[in-house]
Amino acid sequence: MAAEPLKTLFYPFEAEALPLPRKDARVLFLGAEPGFRLPAGFDAALHLAQGFRSHFRALQALGRDVTPRAEGQDYDMALVLAGRHRGQNEVRIAEAVERVARGAPVVVAGSKDDGVDSLRKRINGLAPLEGHLPKHHGVAFWFRRAGTNTAATLRAGNPDLVVEGGFKTAPGMFSFDRIDVGSKLLAANLPDDLKGNVADFCAGWGYLAAEVLQRSHGLTALDLYEADFEALEAARLNVHGAIEPRFFWTDLLTEAVDWRYDAIVMNPPFHSGRAAEPGIGAGMIRAASKALKPGGRLFMVANRQLPYEQVLSAAFASHAEIARDGMFKVLSARR
């Protein structure tokens, strides 16, 4: 959770460097995360956009007006919470410019560790800033929409991509500019006889699911589970074949899976922000065990140093390492 950048984002209003929006104003908040505290007197209607499922659900539970993608036009103000992905930050700022009314302010904030200073300089070269303030180890800056040239330039510099194999991706998605090496290793070591109901947990933009669909001819169902809304939308374009896949925007760590599977493939994340968090992968292993039929098989890839074998031993009847290279290992397990 971006606790410090969230504080930075609202600091210009607290410091009275920016006037509070009118009570009847409509404010768009792109990249919104739970945990923000509105300054006293900030009574405008907030419309939040957040495509990461766990953040979306947390904001929804707080009663916020939140959608996975931004909707609507002619907002009186836009707030943009910047993260680690330069391209995603620039696309969000472009969208903010496109969705606010002419002359409306766009306020951006992020952490210095995530490169917000270079982002500020980049935007200042396109749309002269009205001001900026450092606070909470971050920087907030703001400008006003004068036209759409800024948005067009930012979008031109961060186009959607088509990577090896014809897969469509976009900035901000995991491994958006290439097929992930670990996923390639897993795909190369999957059995060709996968059949029945199969799922791809943490499916991303769909590479592993596409490989399964292409190589396994005994499938009766193929389901993709992914927490990143935009990645799942890309997967809808990338995964197609003899059977029609199903797509689930799901937080596998907190939401139950209703279906049961003969096999699950997955390349689970192991970072939360900058910090390594093996607990995410461990939670995915337990979720996979619950979603498999008796005798069902799990095939997963992980960094070699991650100690998932103990979790596999507790959640499965048997497990084995079936491949490895200099960075990754492929593990299989049977429920």
Side-chain angles (χ1 to χ4, degrees):
M1 190 179 297
E4 293 302 294
L6 280 170
K7 294 179 184 177
T8 306
L9 182 60
F10 290 98
Y11 179 67
F13 302 101
E14 295 173 348
E16 299 184 357
L18 268 173
L20 292 166
R22 303 185 319 272
K23 188 173 183 177
D24 63 348
R26 297 167 58 246
V27 178
L28 176 64
F29 188 175
L30 294 170
E33 295 189 11
F36 65 87
R37 182 184 61 82
L38 293 174
F42 196 115
D43 299 322
L46 275 177
H47 301 264
L48 282 53
Q50 173 53 259
F52 187 55
R53 181 68 176 174
S54 63
H55 289 337
F56 174 91
R57 294 186 72 223
L59 291 165
Q60 199 173 50
L62 293 170
R64 295 291 184 184
D65 176 7
V66 56
T67 54
R69 280 178 168 168
E71 300 173 355
Q73 299 290 333
D74 294 324
Y75 285 93
D76 300 293
M77 176 184 291
L79 308 173
V80 180
L81 184 66
R84 295 179 59 191
H85 301 283
R86 179 192 62 82
Q88 185 180 57
N89 291 336
E90 293 191 3
V91 168
R92 281 180 178 167
I93 293 172
E95 181 156 34
V97 171
E98 292 162 350
R99 291 188 180 275
V100 297
R102 188 175 185 88
V106 175
V107 187
V108 183
S111 168
K112 292 181 179 179
D113 291 339
D114 292 337
V116 70
D117 280 317
S118 63
L119 179 64
R120 174 178 60 85
K121 293 172 184 175
R122 163 83 161 139
I123 300 304
N124 189 46
L126 300 174
L129 302 184
E130 282 196 351
H132 71 278
L133 278 178
K135 191 69 173 179
H136 305 297
H137 199 63
V139 175
F141 60 89
W142 57 95
F143 62 97
R144 292 184 182 273
R145 172 183 168 164
T148 58
N149 288 344
T150 297
T153 301
L154 291 172
R155 288 201 180 275
N158 300 281
D160 291 351
L161 298 179
V162 178
V163 300
E164 175 190 348
F167 295 101
K168 299 174 178 65
T169 75
M173 299 175 191
F174 170 70
S175 196
F176 78 96
D177 57 350
R178 68 196 183 287
I179 297 172
D180 174 64
V181 176
S183 293
K184 273 189 175 182
L185 182 67
L186 175 55
N189 287 279
L190 288 175
D192 291 328
D193 64 345
L194 291 179
K195 58 187 177 180
N197 296 343
V198 177
D200 182 355
F201 279 14
C202 314
W205 43 260
Y207 166 72
L208 278 173
E211 286 287 309
V212 169
L213 191 53
Q214 180 180 354
R215 293 162 44 182
S216 302
H217 304 295
L219 299 183
T220 55
L222 177 64
D223 293 346
L224 286 74
Y225 292 81
E226 173 55 43
D228 180 345
F229 183 86
E230 294 299 335
L232 192 65
E233 291 300 293
R236 293 180 191 273
L237 303 175
N238 293 329
V239 186
H240 41 79
I243 64 171
E244 193 66 32
R246 296 180 297 188
F247 302 86
F248 298 91
W249 183 42
T250 301
D251 176 13
L252 289 164
L253 296 179
T254 62
E255 294 182 88
V257 173
D258 293 331
W259 303 88
R260 293 297 173 261
Y261 298 100
D262 298 289
I264 292 174
V265 300
M266 70 177 183
N267 180 0
F270 63 94
H271 278 92
S272 177
R274 292 182 175 275
E277 184 49 75
I280 297 175
M284 296 297 178
I285 290 170
R286 288 188 281 267
S289 176
K290 292 176 183 177
L292 283 166
K293 299 175 182 177
R297 295 180 293 172
L298 169 67
F299 299 92
M300 65 175 289
V301 65
N303 279 45
R304 285 176 53 173
Q305 76 273 15
L306 293 174
Y308 289 147
E309 288 79 2
Q310 189 172 2
V311 186
L312 288 166
S313 293
F316 287 84
S318 62
H319 67 88
E321 180 180 306
I322 59 175
R324 72 163 48 205
D325 64 12
M327 292 180 61
F328 299 100
K329 57 187 174 185
V330 176
L331 303 167
S332 69
R334 187 177 293 274
R335 186 174 185 272

